[in-house]
Amino acid sequence: MINRTTRSPAIRPAAPTDDAALLALNRTSWTAGSGFPSMRSEEMSTYFTGRRKPETHLVAERDGAIVGYVSVEPKLPFAEAAHVYALWSLVVSAQARRLGIASALLAAAEQVALEQGATKLSLRVLGSNLPAQRLYERHGYVVEGRHVAEFLIDGEYVDDLALAKSLR
């Protein structure tokens, strides 16, 4: 149970010991509107993998429980794109939504990117995920591109939106 009277979530770097909590959050927080059903059906025994590493993740805690996470890392492995970082997998547990946790994670991720020398932060969001789009727009992200009918999810074609924010 989330205590809704607690003010701000604590945001901290993820640790390898957060694996089980992030795996549980990952399993319960994605929907067809926010993620890929095929990924939800995968049997994962660990959250952190060669692709998902603790050092790229930030976690949000409230009342001692992990209630959200985000990954922020260089978008591409090229020196020419070293100034561009990307956000991946912004997740907040269903019972902790609308408490400012996503906003706190976004602010912390932006700070991490700035500290690493980024001048731009980009992300992708499904065209069907209107709450996420509104969140990102409130935080200054703008649509840079639309990949029309990029995914077929639950029998419907869904656009993939590329959003970005200047950190200068």
Side-chain angles (χ1 to χ4, degrees):
M1 182 67 150
I2 300 296
N3 177 350
R4 294 193 178 270
T5 61
T6 304
R7 301 293 288 155
S8 298
I11 307 296
R12 65 169 174 78
T17 54
D18 296 325
D19 188 82
L22 295 183
L23 181 61
L25 192 53
N26 189 63
R27 284 181 175 153
T28 61
S29 295
W30 293 104
T31 67
S34 65
F36 302 104
S38 61
M39 297 298 289
R40 288 192 322 270
S41 66
E42 281 184 5
E43 269 307 309
M44 294 172 34
S45 60
T46 182
Y47 177 79
F48 293 123
T49 65
R51 187 176 56 108
R52 287 188 303 260
K53 300 175 182 177
E55 57 268 19
T56 67
H57 283 68
L58 298 170
V59 298
E61 288 184 319
R62 284 179 67 95
D63 302 324
I66 292 177
V67 295
Y69 67 85
V70 67
S71 177
V72 58
E73 59 188 290
K75 183 176 181 181
L76 298 167
F78 310 117
E80 295 83 358
H83 64 288
V84 181
Y85 270 54
L87 291 180
W88 304 102
S89 301
L90 175 62
V91 173
V92 175
S93 68
Q95 67 270 27
R97 292 184 184 150
R98 300 186 186 273
L99 300 176
I101 292 167
S103 292
L105 283 166
L106 280 174
E110 290 173 13
Q111 186 60 42
V112 166
L114 278 167
E115 289 170 1
Q116 297 299 315
T119 61
K120 179 180 179 178
L121 196 52
S122 70
L123 60 91
R124 305 292 278 268
V125 63
L126 293 178
S128 58
N129 192 344
L130 297 177
Q133 290 175 50
R134 287 191 294 271
L135 169 75
Y136 298 133
E137 288 170 6
R138 281 195 312 273
H139 286 273
Y141 290 81
V142 296
V143 175
E144 289 193 328
R146 177 181 295 268
H147 303 273
V148 177
E150 190 78 358
F151 302 108
L152 180 62
I153 299 175
D154 290 344
E156 300 287 330
Y157 287 101
V158 177
D159 295 352
D160 183 27
L161 305 178
L163 280 67
K165 177 180 182 173
S166 175
L167 299 178
R168 291 188 227 183

